[in-house]
Amino acid sequence: MTQNPPPHSPRRISIRRVLIVGNYCHDVLIQNGSVVAETLGGAASFISNVLNALSLSCDLTSKVGYDFKYAVNHAPIVAPAKHTTVFEAYFDMGLDGTGRPDRVLKRVRACDPIFPSDLPDARFDFGMAVGVGGEVLPETLEKMVEICDVVSVDIQALIRDFDPVDGTVKLVNLKESGFYHILPRIGFLKASSEEALFVDVEQVKQWCSVVVTNGKEGCRIYHKDEETAVPPFPANQVDPTGAGDSFLGGFVAGLVEGLAVADAALLGNLFGSVTVEHIGLPKFDLKMLQKVKDEIQKRRMQCSTCNGQKENHEGVGVRNPSGLAEFNIRLSATRLIPDHCLPESTVGPALEEPVPQTIGRNL
């Protein structure tokens, strides 16, 4: 099995960089037959938002059409003869098990895929394959493995399929996706609890670490014979959209900062919990961000002095990492900010009510 070199290898360059690969999208939210929001979408939007908030440099390869209409921090590749990928999300076409409206997602337009030749001619510490509309090709992921020391993959980039008539999103088994043979070469595979049903976790965890998120239950990390439960953070949920993307952004940010895998997952849970309290792309409170940065540095220094603790970014390393509960408490304290200190965009209606047209979303 080919493994990526550990991030602390002495032959590595000192500057850490992240490569994010996934298209920006135009998202349309439809409820009761009416459009209530037309906004920026794509997992790359939420992930780069987290990395930017933590002052971590990243490159982003994203492809859009001539009609792309949003200002973003990382300029995309423009395909002049194409339209930008468009998703429509219907929140009133069915009911989930709790009786709440369940989203039906449709890809109604697709931009060009991202080809290996579109990737930067550079080497990266961490790569993130986070396509949402089928834009990440198997050969593109293989190229990412070649130019990135550690690659994290959101499974939605691999197992989404689209109805040929109306573009309704459906999921296929990972073994049927065309990506299965690449799994032994990646570092992390992230899936929601629903998406994990389309993965043979027992098999895949022998090749790479599998991180399964489960909303208010937190997440679990599977690697070979080890399993680690990472606790959640309480949140007043307004909109769950983008929570998994923000989780992955926080998770990789933690790895970039030198945290152990479980600690990085805890950081991911924090940013996921903040995101569900916003409608659309969150604007993180600056005081909270500074407190989070301080706690990351304290935790990294604490772990660097722990005798006998063996952690690396190829797997979990320790079943019950020392000090995880304490780190959880300290990160929880960063969120104790009065409501009047929060940006206005953090206060919004639940999904059953109209959503402001100007708020960005990733569906």
Side-chain angles (χ1 to χ4, degrees):
M1 180 180 83
T2 302
Q3 291 187 343
N4 298 318
H8 297 300
S9 169
R11 68 176 182 273
R12 289 171 50 81
I13 60 174
S14 59
I15 299 176
R16 298 179 176 230
R17 295 193 299 171
V18 179
L19 172 63
I20 305 170
V21 179
N23 284 352
Y24 292 124
C25 307
H26 290 167
D27 287 343
V28 182
L29 176 62
I30 299 173
Q31 193 167 45
N32 298 324
S34 300
V35 174
V36 294
E38 297 186 14
T39 57
L40 173 65
S45 304
F46 281 83
I47 292 170
S48 60
N49 185 49
V50 171
L51 296 181
N52 292 337
L54 292 174
S55 304
L56 297 175
S57 64
C58 64
D59 287 28
L60 193 153
T61 300
S62 180
K63 195 169 288 187
V64 300
Y66 66 89
D67 58 342
F68 186 62
K69 55 186 179 181
Y70 295 101
V72 290
N73 290 328
H74 302 277
I77 299 169
V78 178
K82 294 287 186 176
H83 289 85
T84 301
T85 299
V86 176
F87 280 95
E88 293 180 350
Y90 298 81
F91 283 88
D92 48 13
M93 293 181 66
L95 295 176
D96 64 14
T98 64
R100 295 192 298 266
D102 190 21
R103 181 183 66 178
V104 173
L105 189 61
K106 297 183 179 183
R107 188 191 67 178
V108 298
R109 189 173 293 153
C111 192
D112 284 341
I114 298 173
F115 298 103
S117 58
D118 295 320
L119 301 182
D121 184 16
R123 181 147 200 94
F124 296 87
D125 299 315
F126 293 90
M128 305 179 70
V130 292
V132 293
E135 68 269 25
V136 177
L137 306 173
E139 54 266 34
T140 304
L141 181 56
E142 289 183 343
K143 180 65 175 182
M144 291 182 66
V145 170
E146 293 176 5
I147 66 175
C148 302
D149 289 347
V150 179
V151 175
S152 300
V153 180
D154 191 327
I155 197 173
Q156 70 177 357
L158 312 184
I159 66 171
R160 278 188 171 183
D161 195 15
F162 308 92
D163 186 278
V165 177
D166 65 1
T168 298
V169 177
K170 55 184 178 181
L171 304 179
V172 300
N173 192 284
L174 183 57
K175 290 183 178 180
E176 303 169 0
S177 66
F179 292 89
Y180 199 69
H181 66 286
I182 312 175
L183 297 182
R185 302 173 62 197
I186 71 172
F188 299 92
L189 181 68
K190 176 261 176 186
S192 68
S193 57
E194 294 82 7
E195 293 165 337
L197 299 176
F198 295 83
V199 184
D200 184 351
V201 174
E202 290 300 311
Q203 177 60 60
V204 175
K205 72 178 184 178
Q206 302 302 319
W207 298 329
C208 64
S209 294
V210 181
V211 183
V212 179
T213 59
N214 193 19
K216 64 181 181 180
E217 302 300 323
C219 68
R220 304 186 80 85
I221 309 168
Y222 302 88
H223 183 75
K224 298 189 184 302
D225 296 327
E226 299 186 14
E227 179 179 337
T228 301
V230 181
F233 293 88
N236 297 317
Q237 180 168 302
V238 174
D239 179 5
T241 302
D245 304 325
S246 291
F247 165 86
L248 191 55
F251 176 67
V252 170
L255 298 181
V256 171
E257 290 284 14
L259 295 182
V261 172
D263 290 335
L266 190 65
L267 186 65
N269 283 347
L270 175 71
F271 279 97
S273 70
V274 174
T275 298
V276 302
E277 294 185 338
H278 295 64
I279 292 179
L281 204 66
K283 295 181 179 179
F284 302 111
D285 181 83
L286 295 179
K287 292 182 179 179
M288 185 203 82
L289 288 173
Q290 187 56 56
K291 291 179 180 179
V292 170
K293 293 176 184 178
D294 292 343
E295 293 301 337
I296 291 173
Q297 297 304 315
K298 291 177 184 177
R299 179 58 171 163
R300 184 171 63 182
M301 293 180 62
Q302 175 189 5
C303 289
S304 67
T305 59
C306 291
N307 294 326
Q309 180 165 346
K310 298 179 180 179
E311 285 276 0
N312 60 60
H313 296 154
E314 294 300 323
V316 179
V318 176
R319 189 178 300 275
N320 294 302
S322 175
L324 182 64
E326 178 186 352
F327 189 41
N328 183 21
I329 293 173
R330 297 207 311 265
L331 284 181
S332 296
T334 67
R335 299 210 51 209
L336 299 180
I337 301 173
D339 289 344
H340 67 271
C341 294
L342 294 174
E344 289 184 2
S345 62
T346 66
V347 181
L351 287 175
E352 297 83 54
E353 301 177 12
V355 180
Q357 296 283 337
T358 58
I359 297 177
R361 298 178 57 87
N362 170 37
L363 297 174

